[in-house]
Short mmCIF file of all heavy atoms in Angstrom, two decimals:
data_model
loop_
_atom_site.label_atom_id
_atom_site.label_comp_id
_atom_site.label_asym_id
_atom_site.label_seq_id
_atom_site.Cartn_x
_atom_site.Cartn_y
_atom_site.Cartn_z
N GLN Z 137 26.18 -33.82 19.16
CA GLN Z 137 26.60 -33.99 17.77
C GLN Z 137 25.32 -34.07 16.97
O GLN Z 137 24.62 -35.10 17.00
CB GLN Z 137 27.43 -35.26 17.64
CG GLN Z 137 28.21 -35.38 16.37
CD GLN Z 137 29.20 -36.52 16.46
OE1 GLN Z 137 28.82 -37.64 16.77
NE2 GLN Z 137 30.46 -36.24 16.20
N GLY Z 138 24.96 -32.99 16.29
CA GLY Z 138 23.66 -32.91 15.64
C GLY Z 138 22.58 -32.99 16.70
O GLY Z 138 22.59 -32.24 17.67
N ASP Z 139 21.65 -33.92 16.54
CA ASP Z 139 20.58 -34.11 17.52
C ASP Z 139 20.94 -35.12 18.61
O ASP Z 139 20.11 -35.41 19.47
CB ASP Z 139 19.29 -34.59 16.81
CG ASP Z 139 18.67 -33.50 15.97
OD1 ASP Z 139 18.89 -32.31 16.26
OD2 ASP Z 139 17.94 -33.84 15.01
N ASP Z 140 22.14 -35.68 18.56
CA ASP Z 140 22.53 -36.71 19.52
C ASP Z 140 23.29 -36.11 20.70
O ASP Z 140 24.37 -35.54 20.52
CB ASP Z 140 23.42 -37.76 18.85
CG ASP Z 140 22.68 -38.54 17.78
OD1 ASP Z 140 21.48 -38.80 17.97
OD2 ASP Z 140 23.32 -38.89 16.76
N PRO Z 141 22.76 -36.26 21.92
CA PRO Z 141 23.51 -35.83 23.09
C PRO Z 141 24.71 -36.75 23.31
O PRO Z 141 24.62 -37.96 23.10
CB PRO Z 141 22.50 -35.94 24.22
CG PRO Z 141 21.52 -36.97 23.77
CD PRO Z 141 21.47 -36.88 22.27
N ILE Z 142 25.83 -36.15 23.73
CA ILE Z 142 27.07 -36.90 23.94
C ILE Z 142 27.47 -36.89 25.40
O ILE Z 142 27.81 -37.92 25.97
CB ILE Z 142 28.21 -36.30 23.09
CG1 ILE Z 142 27.93 -36.50 21.61
CG2 ILE Z 142 29.56 -36.87 23.49
CD1 ILE Z 142 28.90 -35.78 20.70
N GLY Z 143 27.47 -35.69 25.99
CA GLY Z 143 27.95 -35.55 27.35
C GLY Z 143 27.46 -34.28 28.00
O GLY Z 143 26.91 -33.40 27.33
N THR Z 144 27.69 -34.20 29.29
CA THR Z 144 27.23 -33.03 30.04
C THR Z 144 28.09 -32.85 31.29
O THR Z 144 28.77 -33.77 31.74
CB THR Z 144 25.75 -33.16 30.45
OG1 THR Z 144 25.32 -31.93 31.03
CG2 THR Z 144 25.53 -34.30 31.43
N CYS Z 145 28.05 -31.65 31.82
CA CYS Z 145 28.60 -31.39 33.15
C CYS Z 145 27.84 -30.22 33.75
O CYS Z 145 27.20 -29.43 33.04
CB CYS Z 145 30.10 -31.12 33.12
SG CYS Z 145 30.58 -29.62 32.27
N ARG Z 146 27.90 -30.15 35.06
CA ARG Z 146 27.27 -29.07 35.80
C ARG Z 146 28.39 -28.11 36.19
O ARG Z 146 29.47 -28.55 36.57
CB ARG Z 146 26.58 -29.67 37.02
CG ARG Z 146 25.74 -28.73 37.80
CD ARG Z 146 24.85 -29.49 38.75
NE ARG Z 146 25.58 -29.95 39.94
CZ ARG Z 146 25.01 -30.62 40.93
NH1 ARG Z 146 23.74 -30.95 40.89
NH2 ARG Z 146 25.72 -30.98 41.98
N VAL Z 147 28.12 -26.81 36.09
CA VAL Z 147 29.12 -25.81 36.46
C VAL Z 147 28.55 -24.96 37.59
O VAL Z 147 27.46 -24.40 37.47
CB VAL Z 147 29.50 -24.92 35.25
CG1 VAL Z 147 30.64 -23.98 35.62
CG2 VAL Z 147 29.90 -25.78 34.06
N ASN Z 148 29.30 -24.90 38.68
CA ASN Z 148 28.86 -24.21 39.88
C ASN Z 148 29.68 -22.93 40.03
O ASN Z 148 30.91 -22.98 40.15
CB ASN Z 148 29.07 -25.15 41.08
CG ASN Z 148 28.63 -24.57 42.39
OD1 ASN Z 148 28.62 -23.37 42.58
ND2 ASN Z 148 28.31 -25.45 43.32
N PHE Z 149 29.00 -21.79 40.02
CA PHE Z 149 29.65 -20.49 40.13
C PHE Z 149 29.48 -19.87 41.52
O PHE Z 149 29.72 -18.69 41.71
CB PHE Z 149 29.09 -19.52 39.08
CG PHE Z 149 29.28 -19.97 37.67
CD1 PHE Z 149 28.19 -20.30 36.88
CD2 PHE Z 149 30.54 -20.05 37.11
CE1 PHE Z 149 28.35 -20.71 35.57
CE2 PHE Z 149 30.72 -20.46 35.80
CZ PHE Z 149 29.62 -20.79 35.03
N GLU Z 150 29.06 -20.65 42.49
CA GLU Z 150 28.73 -20.13 43.82
C GLU Z 150 29.94 -19.87 44.71
O GLU Z 150 29.81 -19.22 45.73
CB GLU Z 150 27.76 -21.08 44.53
CG GLU Z 150 26.40 -21.12 43.88
CD GLU Z 150 25.68 -19.78 43.90
OE1 GLU Z 150 25.61 -19.16 44.98
OE2 GLU Z 150 25.22 -19.35 42.84
N HIS Z 151 31.09 -20.41 44.36
CA HIS Z 151 32.28 -20.22 45.19
C HIS Z 151 32.94 -18.89 44.85
O HIS Z 151 32.91 -18.44 43.70
CB HIS Z 151 33.25 -21.38 44.99
CG HIS Z 151 32.65 -22.71 45.31
ND1 HIS Z 151 32.57 -23.20 46.60
CD2 HIS Z 151 32.05 -23.63 44.52
CE1 HIS Z 151 31.97 -24.37 46.58
NE2 HIS Z 151 31.64 -24.66 45.33
N GLN Z 152 33.55 -18.28 45.82
CA GLN Z 152 34.14 -16.95 45.63
C GLN Z 152 35.40 -16.99 44.78
O GLN Z 152 35.62 -16.09 43.96
CB GLN Z 152 34.43 -16.32 46.98
CG GLN Z 152 34.94 -14.90 46.89
CD GLN Z 152 35.11 -14.27 48.26
OE1 GLN Z 152 34.78 -14.86 49.29
NE2 GLN Z 152 35.63 -13.07 48.27
N ASP Z 153 36.23 -18.02 44.97
CA ASP Z 153 37.55 -18.03 44.36
C ASP Z 153 37.71 -18.94 43.15
O ASP Z 153 38.78 -18.96 42.54
CB ASP Z 153 38.59 -18.44 45.42
CG ASP Z 153 38.63 -17.46 46.58
OD1 ASP Z 153 38.40 -16.26 46.36
OD2 ASP Z 153 38.88 -17.91 47.71
N TYR Z 154 36.68 -19.71 42.81
CA TYR Z 154 36.82 -20.64 41.70
C TYR Z 154 35.45 -21.06 41.17
O TYR Z 154 34.44 -20.95 41.85
CB TYR Z 154 37.61 -21.89 42.12
CG TYR Z 154 37.01 -22.64 43.27
CD1 TYR Z 154 36.05 -23.64 43.07
CD2 TYR Z 154 37.39 -22.38 44.59
CE1 TYR Z 154 35.49 -24.35 44.12
CE2 TYR Z 154 36.85 -23.09 45.65
CZ TYR Z 154 35.90 -24.06 45.41
OH TYR Z 154 35.35 -24.75 46.46
N GLY Z 155 35.46 -21.57 39.94
CA GLY Z 155 34.29 -22.24 39.38
C GLY Z 155 34.50 -23.73 39.55
O GLY Z 155 35.63 -24.23 39.46
N LYS Z 156 33.43 -24.46 39.81
CA LYS Z 156 33.55 -25.89 40.07
C LYS Z 156 32.81 -26.68 39.00
O LYS Z 156 31.65 -26.42 38.71
CB LYS Z 156 32.98 -26.23 41.45
CG LYS Z 156 33.23 -27.66 41.86
CD LYS Z 156 32.95 -27.86 43.34
CE LYS Z 156 33.33 -29.26 43.75
NZ LYS Z 156 32.20 -30.09 44.08
N ILE Z 157 33.50 -27.63 38.41
CA ILE Z 157 32.93 -28.51 37.40
C ILE Z 157 32.45 -29.77 38.12
O ILE Z 157 33.22 -30.42 38.82
CB ILE Z 157 33.96 -28.85 36.31
CG1 ILE Z 157 34.45 -27.55 35.65
CG2 ILE Z 157 33.35 -29.80 35.28
CD1 ILE Z 157 35.62 -27.75 34.71
N GLU Z 158 31.18 -30.09 37.93
CA GLU Z 158 30.56 -31.20 38.65
C GLU Z 158 29.80 -32.10 37.68
O GLU Z 158 29.44 -31.70 36.58
CB GLU Z 158 29.57 -30.66 39.69
CG GLU Z 158 30.19 -29.66 40.65
CD GLU Z 158 29.18 -28.96 41.54
OE1 GLU Z 158 27.99 -28.86 41.16
OE2 GLU Z 158 29.59 -28.52 42.61
N ARG Z 159 29.50 -33.32 38.14
CA ARG Z 159 28.63 -34.25 37.43
C ARG Z 159 29.04 -34.45 35.96
O ARG Z 159 28.21 -34.45 35.06
CB ARG Z 159 27.18 -33.80 37.50
CG ARG Z 159 26.60 -33.60 38.89
CD ARG Z 159 26.50 -34.94 39.62
NE ARG Z 159 25.50 -34.96 40.67
CZ ARG Z 159 25.74 -34.70 41.95
NH1 ARG Z 159 26.95 -34.37 42.34
NH2 ARG Z 159 24.77 -34.76 42.83
N VAL Z 160 30.32 -34.62 35.72
CA VAL Z 160 30.83 -34.84 34.36
C VAL Z 160 30.38 -36.22 33.89
O VAL Z 160 30.55 -37.22 34.60
CB VAL Z 160 32.37 -34.74 34.33
CG1 VAL Z 160 32.90 -35.04 32.94
CG2 VAL Z 160 32.82 -33.37 34.81
N ALA Z 161 29.80 -36.28 32.69
CA ALA Z 161 29.29 -37.55 32.18
C ALA Z 161 29.33 -37.57 30.65
O ALA Z 161 28.88 -36.63 30.01
CB ALA Z 161 27.85 -37.77 32.66
N ILE Z 162 29.86 -38.63 30.11
CA ILE Z 162 29.87 -38.89 28.66
C ILE Z 162 29.18 -40.24 28.46
O ILE Z 162 29.52 -41.22 29.14
CB ILE Z 162 31.31 -38.95 28.10
CG1 ILE Z 162 32.07 -37.65 28.35
CG2 ILE Z 162 31.29 -39.31 26.61
CD1 ILE Z 162 31.60 -36.47 27.53
N LEU Z 163 28.22 -40.29 27.55
CA LEU Z 163 27.57 -41.57 27.25
C LEU Z 163 28.62 -42.59 26.81
O LEU Z 163 29.58 -42.26 26.11
CB LEU Z 163 26.52 -41.40 26.16
CG LEU Z 163 25.27 -40.62 26.57
CD1 LEU Z 163 24.39 -40.34 25.35
CD2 LEU Z 163 24.48 -41.38 27.63
N GLU Z 164 28.42 -43.82 27.21
CA GLU Z 164 29.43 -44.87 27.01
C GLU Z 164 29.89 -44.99 25.56
O GLU Z 164 31.08 -45.12 25.29
CB GLU Z 164 28.89 -46.21 27.51
CG GLU Z 164 29.93 -47.29 27.49
CD GLU Z 164 29.45 -48.59 28.11
OE1 GLU Z 164 28.27 -48.69 28.48
OE2 GLU Z 164 30.27 -49.50 28.22
N LYS Z 165 28.97 -44.93 24.61
CA LYS Z 165 29.37 -45.13 23.20
C LYS Z 165 30.22 -43.99 22.65
O LYS Z 165 30.82 -44.12 21.59
CB LYS Z 165 28.14 -45.36 22.32
CG LYS Z 165 27.25 -44.15 22.12
CD LYS Z 165 26.07 -44.51 21.23
CE LYS Z 165 25.16 -43.34 20.99
NZ LYS Z 165 24.06 -43.68 20.09
N PHE Z 166 30.31 -42.87 23.39
CA PHE Z 166 31.12 -41.73 22.96
C PHE Z 166 32.41 -41.58 23.77
O PHE Z 166 33.19 -40.66 23.54
CB PHE Z 166 30.30 -40.44 23.06
CG PHE Z 166 29.15 -40.38 22.11
CD1 PHE Z 166 27.85 -40.51 22.56
CD2 PHE Z 166 29.35 -40.20 20.74
CE1 PHE Z 166 26.77 -40.46 21.69
CE2 PHE Z 166 28.28 -40.15 19.86
CZ PHE Z 166 26.99 -40.28 20.33
N GLN Z 167 32.63 -42.47 24.73
CA GLN Z 167 33.82 -42.36 25.57
C GLN Z 167 35.08 -42.73 24.78
O GLN Z 167 35.03 -43.46 23.80
CB GLN Z 167 33.67 -43.25 26.80
CG GLN Z 167 32.60 -42.72 27.74
CD GLN Z 167 32.39 -43.59 28.96
OE1 GLN Z 167 33.07 -44.58 29.17
NE2 GLN Z 167 31.43 -43.20 29.79
N HIS Z 168 36.22 -42.20 25.23
CA HIS Z 168 37.54 -42.46 24.66
C HIS Z 168 37.66 -41.96 23.21
O HIS Z 168 38.37 -42.55 22.41
CB HIS Z 168 37.89 -43.95 24.75
CG HIS Z 168 37.75 -44.49 26.13
ND1 HIS Z 168 38.60 -44.16 27.16
CD2 HIS Z 168 36.80 -45.30 26.67
CE1 HIS Z 168 38.21 -44.76 28.25
NE2 HIS Z 168 37.12 -45.46 28.00
#
């Protein structure tokens, strides 16, 4: 949000049949 990071996730495209969402994280003050 502007210059403030809120959250992140890692996306893994190495699997043949699906993409995998990993390491999902939202900073506490931005949760909910």
Side-chain angles (χ1 to χ4, degrees):
Q137 195 169 54
D139 290 335
D140 295 324
I142 293 173
T144 187
C145 66
R146 187 166 78 179
V147 186
N148 181 333
F149 299 114
E150 292 298 310
H151 302 277
Q152 185 175 356
D153 299 327
Y154 58 88
K156 188 167 185 249
I157 301 171
E158 305 171 335
R159 303 293 204 266
V160 177
I162 301 289
L163 290 172
E164 187 174 5
K165 70 180 180 178
F166 294 108
Q167 291 178 3
H168 307 289

